[in-house]
């Protein structure tokens, strides 16, 4: 009788192990999933030609990214903000079945393209021989020397700052009488709806195009652009410049840039939702 109970218990343990193994296997990704990025960069070695991508991979996935391709530009791993000395797989954060990883690549182009290019997908090549086309949100690659502005420097930038809660601020001071006529974002998708803006201490809850422009500035007068992220879920990496442009009293155009950066922070619920959106698979835990 005792022997029969022993074998029954052993059978239950085996069944439980099989069920758990099948469940864990069902939660594995067929290939890494990249977050939706909103970033801009260049291929100019004298400018900003590094970009960091974030992706979800299975915990047991030991492969790493050899290189990526965006149109006629390729990116090769250079380490990243978190682990600058290695390009091997490492986790920024760990979840039930996946890890959030990052890879920083240095871009180079094989053409002299003078037009900006916008990408929603990129080719990814892994160390184990796999390759895939990954959905990445929107990444803009500008021509060389894009941020080198030879316009009249009507505004100088004495101070700026940011916080990991998604807020940032940039102060601009007029070097001569000027008018700020336009403040805009670089992307096709209207992501400005995700932010609140404060200019010179006057709060608005309206989209960017509802701000009262132009803003007239006398010489040595300052204006501060404050940006606050509306959302409570930090699942999108941001790295871009808000354009502040206008005309001086002498009729000369100018453009300045308020740079915005935000790193992703994902909860397990965020991971489940991203997997479901990207694959169509229910990832409820």
């Amino acid at each position: 009788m005792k022997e029969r109970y022993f074998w029954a218990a052993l059978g239950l343990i085996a069944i439980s192990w099989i069920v758990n193994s099948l469940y864990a296997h069902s939660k594995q990704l067929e290939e890494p999933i990249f977050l939706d990025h909103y970033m801009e960069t260049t291929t100019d070695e004298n400018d900003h030609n590094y970009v960091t991508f974030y992706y979800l991979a299975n915990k047991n996935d030991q492969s790493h990214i050899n290189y990526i391709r965006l149109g006629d530009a390729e990116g090769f791993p250079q380490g990243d903000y978190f682990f600058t000395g290695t390009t091997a797989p490492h986790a920024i954060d760990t979840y039930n079945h996946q890890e959030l990883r990052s890879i920083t690549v240095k871009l180079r182009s094989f053409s002299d393209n003078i037009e900006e290019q916008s990408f929603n997908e990129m080719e990814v090549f892994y160390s184990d021989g796999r390759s895939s086309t990954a959905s990445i949100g929107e990444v803009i690659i500008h021509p060389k020397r894009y941020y080198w502005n030879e316009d009249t420097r009507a505004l100088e930038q004495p101070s700026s700052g940011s916080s990991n809660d998604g807020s940032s601020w940039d102060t601009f001071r007029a070097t001569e009488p000027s008018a700020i006529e336009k403040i805009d974002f670089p992307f096709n998708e209207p992501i400005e709806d995700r932010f609140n803006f404060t200019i010179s201490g006057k709060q608005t809850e309206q989209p960017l195009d509802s701000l009262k422009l132009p803003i007239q500035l006398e010489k040595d007068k300052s204006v501060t652009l404050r940006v606050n992220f509306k959302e409570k879920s930090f699942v999108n990496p941001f790295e871009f410049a808000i354009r502040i442009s206008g005309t001086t009293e002498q009729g000369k155009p100018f453009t300045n840039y308020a740079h915005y950066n935000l790193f992703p922070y994902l909860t397990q619920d965020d991971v489940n939702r991203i997997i479901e959106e990207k694959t169509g698979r229910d990832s409820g835990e």
Side-chain angles (χ1 to χ4, degrees), residues 196-213:
N196 288 326
F197 300 89
T198 305
I199 289 188
S200 296
K202 296 180 180 179
Q203 180 70 35
T204 175
E205 299 291 336
Q206 302 301 314
L208 187 63
D209 58 8
S210 295
L211 294 174
K212 294 181 179 180
L213 297 173

Side-chain angles (χ1 to χ4, degrees), residues 37 39 50-54 79-82 92 102-105 237 239 263:
H37 302 68
M39 297 181 169
Y50 291 85
V51 62
T52 300
F53 292 101
Y54 299 84
D80 61 26
Y81 297 123
F82 299 92
I92 298 174
S102 69
I103 185 72
T104 297
V105 298
E239 187 175 351
F263 301 123

Side-chain angles (χ1 to χ4, degrees), residues 95-144:
Y95 308 95
N96 292 344
H97 304 285
Q98 281 78 38
E99 295 176 342
L100 178 63
R101 300 176 181 178
S102 69
I103 185 72
T104 297
V105 298
K106 183 178 182 180
L107 294 176
R108 67 176 183 180
S109 178
F110 297 101
S111 71
D112 293 323
N113 198 321
I114 61 173
E115 301 294 333
E116 74 175 34
Q117 303 176 78
S118 177
F119 298 94
N120 304 113
E121 296 180 334
M122 73 177 178
E123 295 179 85
V124 187
F125 300 85
Y126 298 93
S127 59
D128 59 4
R130 289 178 300 161
S131 64
S132 66
T133 300
S135 173
I136 55 172
E138 186 174 355
V139 175
I140 296 173
I141 299 181
H142 293 291
K144 293 183 177 182

Side-chain angles (χ1 to χ4, degrees), residues 161-182:
S162 63
S163 174
N164 59 9
D165 65 358
S167 62
S168 71
W169 54 271
D170 293 85
T171 297
F172 298 93
R173 182 168 57 230
T175 61
E176 58 181 298
S178 303
I180 296 175
E181 299 166 341
K182 191 174 183 181

Side-chain angles (χ1 to χ4, degrees), residues 23-37:
Y23 174 78
H25 180 73
S26 71
K27 296 301 179 182
Q28 299 301 294
L29 301 175
E30 293 184 5
E31 60 187 29
I33 291 176
F34 282 74
L35 304 185
D36 284 339
H37 302 68

Side-chain angles (χ1 to χ4, degrees), residues 174 177-181 212-218 221 247 249:
S178 303
I180 296 175
E181 299 166 341
K212 294 181 179 180
L213 297 173
I215 298 174
Q216 302 291 339
L217 292 176
E218 299 177 3
K221 295 298 182 180
T247 308
E249 191 175 60

